[in-house]
């Protein structure tokens, strides 16, 4: 079987997030887009957007249109998603894989919490077995006097395992049960800013596009990691990643201000009108009410479990650690080789120690780490907020610079009337239509 052109599903060669973001942009613009439309809406690099559109067009019977100015547009049928799903085995399997990942992650969380209960039961059952296994009545009596509190404490504290107690006292959490809260207490709940970079580039791309493809560094600063205005030293190097991603370049206006133009984001197939070119300072918040003013990072939480759940988890962890210490002392004092349950617990004892110790060591380390992480997040958020605030009430020099950028802005909507070639029709058919149009024009 020889490979034939078009036999492979081109979209399957794309990263899943690139494909999905490109398709969302295509849907947003109604199935007729330029590369700049997709790049700005999805926050993709221009090369990524172009590759994604080419793959989608090849797999869904989409076609290309070329305008008089040489701009290339991609047009997709309304049922392009259904056509792609029919061809791509990967797209049909991905939901099942994602579901399996979710189930696996849930099982890991539940298993870790279940291990705490299992450890407590094993540790204290073994302690009781050791204390009751001696055949020497006097020795047994001495052990009970020496470790009498050990026997009493676990029985007194087993109220933690009472299911009725949970139902009476536990404050319900809609996203998490108690077993999951054990994992949350030790390891946390993941990055609250997952997908932050994707969000950042979407915001930047949409902002540039909505402003006609010409912006200032001050307008991009609220979306980037920049120092606060008080530490600024006329350094606009933070703009470089944006220029590279969207293929922009600096320009100097008549007043000597540096502006940044992004030609690819100035051409669109969408008939949706761009925003006003006027910029009047305090009306900035009203003009851009649909766009977030700055990129805001969320602080990390130690745990999403509520206070009652965290207290209960810490109490059970302490109970387990105390039991492991007592069990270790009892195992050291044994002169006879144990058997059965005691032997099993003795073999698992190193793992029980690691589990009991890490139960508090990991959260303690995370607590110190989160303090620094959240402090850095607050500083970045504050710096971006201050930069956004400067745009609300700009000084005279910044106002002139912003107005200059709006004057240089350009938003070209490519209409169907401007199309001179399309891959939807045969070349000879299009050539005939052009000649027929020229003949009628001459007659007129």
């Amino acid at each position: 079987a020889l490979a034939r052109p078009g036999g492979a599903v081109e979209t399957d060669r794309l990263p899943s997030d690139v494909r999905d973001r490109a398709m969302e942009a295509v849907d947003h613009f109604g199935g007729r887009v330029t590369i700049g439309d997709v790049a700005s809406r999805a926050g993709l690099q221009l090369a990524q957007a172009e590759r994604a559109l080419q793959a989608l067009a090849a797999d869904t019977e989409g076609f290309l249109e070329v305008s008089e100015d040489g701009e290339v547009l991609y047009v997709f049928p309304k049922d392009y998603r259904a056509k792609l799903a029919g061809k791509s085995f990967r797209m049909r399997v991905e939901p099942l894989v994602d579901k399996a990942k979710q189930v696996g992650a849930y099982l890991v969380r539940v298993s870790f919490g279940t291990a705490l209960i299992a450890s407590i039961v094993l540790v204290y059952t073994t302690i009781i077995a050791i204390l009751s296994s001696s055949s020497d009545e006097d020795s047994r009596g001495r052990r009970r006097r020496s470790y009498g509190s050990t026997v009493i404490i676990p029985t007194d504290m087993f109220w933690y395992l009472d299911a009725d107690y949970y139902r009476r006292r536990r404050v319900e959490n809609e996203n998490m049960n108690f077993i999951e809260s054990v994992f949350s207490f030790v390891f946390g709940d993941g990055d609250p800013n997952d997908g932050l970079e994707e969000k950042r580039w979407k915001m930047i791309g949409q902002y540039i596009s909505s402003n006609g493809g010409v912006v200032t560094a001050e307008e991009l600063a609220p979306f980037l990691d920049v120092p606060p205005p008080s530490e600024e030293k006329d350094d606009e190097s933070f703009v470089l990643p944006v220029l590279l991603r969207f293929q922009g370049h600096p320009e100097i206006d008549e007043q000597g201000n540096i502006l940044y133009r992004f030609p690819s984001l100035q051409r669109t197939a969408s008939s949706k009108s761009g925003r006003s070119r006027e910029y009047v300072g305090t009306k900035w918040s009203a003009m851009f009410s649909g766009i977030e003013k700055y990129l805001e990072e969320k602080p990390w939480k130690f745990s999403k479990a509520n206070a009652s759940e965290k207290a209960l988890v810490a109490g059970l962890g302490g109970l387990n650690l105390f039991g492991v210490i007592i069990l270790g002392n009892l195992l050291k004092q044994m002169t006879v080789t144990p058997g059965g349950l005691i032997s099993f617990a003795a073999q698992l004892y190193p793992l029980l120690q690691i589990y009991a110790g890490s139960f508090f060591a990991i959260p303690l380390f995370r607590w110190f780490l989160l303090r620094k992480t959240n402090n850095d997040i607050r500083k970045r958020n504050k710096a971006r907020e201050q930069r956004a605030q400067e745009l609300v009430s700009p000084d005279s020099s910044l106002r002139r610079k912003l107005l200059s950028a709006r004057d240089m802005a350009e938003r070209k909507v490519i209409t169907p009337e401007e199309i001179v070639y399309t891959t939807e029709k045969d070349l000879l058919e299009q050539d005939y239509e052009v000649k027929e149009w020229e003949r009628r024009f001459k007659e007129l």
Side-chain angles (χ1 to χ4, degrees), residues 363-379:
L364 183 62
F365 173 77
R366 285 200 310 112
W367 185 77
F368 283 108
L369 182 62
L370 291 185
R371 291 186 62 185
K372 181 182 184 307
T373 301
N374 286 335
N375 186 49
D376 293 340
I377 288 176
R378 282 191 293 270
K379 289 181 179 178

Side-chain angles (χ1 to χ4, degrees), residues 184-200:
S184 175
F185 175 84
V186 177
F187 297 104
D189 303 286
D191 187 358
N193 296 302
D194 185 36
L196 181 71
E197 287 305 303
E198 176 183 339
K199 179 182 179 181
R200 183 200 304 273

Side-chain angles (χ1 to χ4, degrees), residues 40-216:
S40 61
R41 180 71 189 179
L44 297 172
Q45 297 179 15
L46 288 172
Q48 287 179 320
E50 183 177 17
R51 176 73 185 92
L53 288 173
Q54 291 173 349
L56 288 171
D59 294 335
T60 62
E61 299 178 10
F63 57 91
L64 277 63
E65 294 180 345
V66 182
S67 71
E68 297 171 344
D69 298 329
E71 295 292 336
V72 178
L73 288 78
Y74 292 80
V75 184
F76 297 91
K78 293 182 178 180
D79 60 344
Y80 83 99
R81 280 184 176 268
K83 291 182 177 180
L84 182 59
K87 287 185 177 182
S88 174
F89 175 75
R90 176 183 168 188
M91 286 191 66
R92 295 195 296 272
V93 170
E94 277 180 353
L96 300 177
V97 174
D98 293 340
K99 187 66 175 178
K101 289 180 179 179
Q102 294 174 7
V103 172
Y106 178 78
L107 291 177
V108 170
R109 296 176 69 91
V110 170
S111 299
F112 191 85
T114 305
L116 174 62
I117 307 300
S119 176
I120 293 174
V121 172
L122 176 62
V123 166
Y124 283 98
T125 303
T126 306
I127 290 174
I128 295 173
I130 291 174
L131 295 177
S132 62
S133 65
S134 176
S135 59
D136 188 345
E137 195 68 30
D138 294 335
S139 177
R140 186 184 304 120
R142 286 194 298 271
R143 286 186 181 178
R144 284 179 178 173
R145 286 192 296 272
S146 176
Y147 295 100
S149 60
T150 305
V151 179
I152 295 172
I153 287 177
T155 56
D156 290 343
M157 299 185 72
F158 265 117
W159 59 269
Y160 278 111
L161 303 179
D162 180 11
D164 292 334
Y165 176 81
Y166 289 138
R167 287 192 288 270
R168 291 193 303 269
R169 296 293 303 272
R170 178 170 174 254
V171 178
E172 292 296 328
N173 186 309
E174 61 180 0
N175 297 322
M176 188 180 303
N177 56 46
F178 168 73
I179 296 297
E180 290 181 288
S181 68
V182 176
F183 187 94
S184 175
F185 175 84
V186 177
F187 297 104
D189 303 286
D191 187 358
N193 296 302
D194 185 36
L196 181 71
E197 287 305 303
E198 176 183 339
K199 179 182 179 181
R200 183 200 304 273
W201 292 114
K202 281 183 177 180
M203 294 171 70
I204 292 174
Q206 292 172 29
Y207 186 90
I208 294 173
S209 178
S210 67
N211 280 280
V214 180
V215 295
T216 67

Side-chain angles (χ1 to χ4, degrees), residues 200 204 216-233 235-242 294-295 297 376-388 390:
R200 183 200 304 273
I204 292 174
T216 67
E218 288 82 358
E219 291 176 281
L220 298 176
F223 309 113
L224 300 168
D225 296 335
V226 294
S230 59
E231 300 178 13
E232 186 179 8
K233 299 180 180 179
D235 182 9
E236 297 185 356
S237 58
F238 59 83
V239 178
L240 289 176
V242 184
Y294 65 95
L295 179 68
E297 296 179 62
D376 293 340
I377 288 176
R378 282 191 293 270
K379 289 181 179 178
R380 291 194 294 268
N381 282 341
K382 185 177 181 180
R384 287 191 286 258
E385 184 179 12
Q386 289 175 343
R387 296 297 189 118
E390 285 186 338

